[in-house]
Amino acid sequence: MTLHKFTLATAAGLLALGASSSSMAAPLKADLAKSSVTIVFKQMNVPVEAKFKKFSPAIDFDAAQPAAAKASVDIDIASFDLGDPEYNKEVLKKEWFNAAQFAKASFVASAIKASAGAPAGSKYDVSGKLTIKGKTTDVSFPLSVKKDGGAQVFDGVLPIKRLTYNIGEGEWKDTSMVADEITIKFHLVAN
């Protein structure tokens, strides 16, 4: 047996052993066609909603053991869609998202806890690290979880301030045109 075949056989054995372990929960598979990541902001005091067309969530969640849950999402910044090709091109520039240098935004959960007073298995408090445009901060937000047939549906709303992440540099730091407050909304459906 060559070293390459031995390595492959060993890796396959470890994977099989890991898959048979009852203490490990199987990660959920996101249904991206039914899932969404959107943002809402105000431009000249008028609410504007935009979406990210490409994102990759990773969810390992068991309502019976929320403290053991793991969740993360990577967002493709170039997939940002304001509904107009010219606006889309503008927000990818250095002053806004600087997609050439910072192609991805990400969130990684560090703690998921059942919300006090909520019905069991329905509401959670999530904490973690949000990274946008190379800036990482600690964030927290409420999460609701519900069953929909065989799927689990995760909904959350995370308010942030765009200037914290240098979104809108130079003349765009002025918040009279585009407000500092942004709401990130996500709706993830997973099996």
Side-chain angles (χ1 to χ4, degrees), residues 39-190:
I39 68 165
V40 177
F41 61 95
K42 287 187 178 180
Q43 183 170 346
M44 296 177 62
N45 214 24
V46 175
V48 177
E49 187 165 359
K51 66 181 174 181
F52 290 95
K53 292 181 176 180
K54 294 180 183 175
F55 52 94
S56 303
I59 306 166
D60 191 346
F61 179 82
D62 179 354
Q65 297 178 337
K70 294 180 179 158
S72 64
V73 64
D74 287 328
I75 298 171
D76 182 344
I77 293 298
S79 75
F80 189 69
D81 185 14
L82 275 161
D84 180 281
E86 289 302 313
Y87 290 152
N88 292 350
K89 196 185 314 181
E90 185 66 30
V91 298
L92 298 181
K93 291 180 178 177
K94 185 179 180 191
E95 294 79 16
W96 291 101
F97 281 116
N98 195 0
Q101 186 175 353
F102 303 103
K104 301 235 181 269
S106 65
F107 171 76
V108 178
S110 56
I112 300 174
K113 299 176 185 172
S115 296
S122 66
K123 300 231 183 262
Y124 299 88
D125 298 315
V126 179
S127 300
K129 303 266 185 203
L130 178 65
T131 302
I132 302 173
K133 207 173 174 181
K135 172 86 177 198
T136 302
T137 63
D138 292 319
V139 296
S140 59
F141 58 90
L143 174 73
S144 68
V145 180
K146 67 179 180 180
K147 288 277 193 184
D148 185 9
Q152 290 189 71
V153 179
F154 302 86
D155 285 298
V157 175
L158 170 58
I160 65 167
K161 295 199 181 278
R162 69 178 176 88
L163 295 179
T164 299
Y165 301 93
N166 297 318
I167 301 170
E169 295 183 51
E171 68 181 287
W172 295 109
K173 282 187 175 184
D174 178 4
T175 57
S176 65
M177 179 72 94
V178 179
D180 194 18
E181 295 76 20
I182 294 176
T183 303
I184 301 171
K185 297 180 182 181
F186 62 87
H187 175 80
L188 299 176
V189 178

Side-chain angles (χ1 to χ4, degrees), residues 8-23:
L8 289 175
T10 303
L14 289 172
L15 286 173
L17 179 63
S20 67
S21 172
S22 61
S23 65

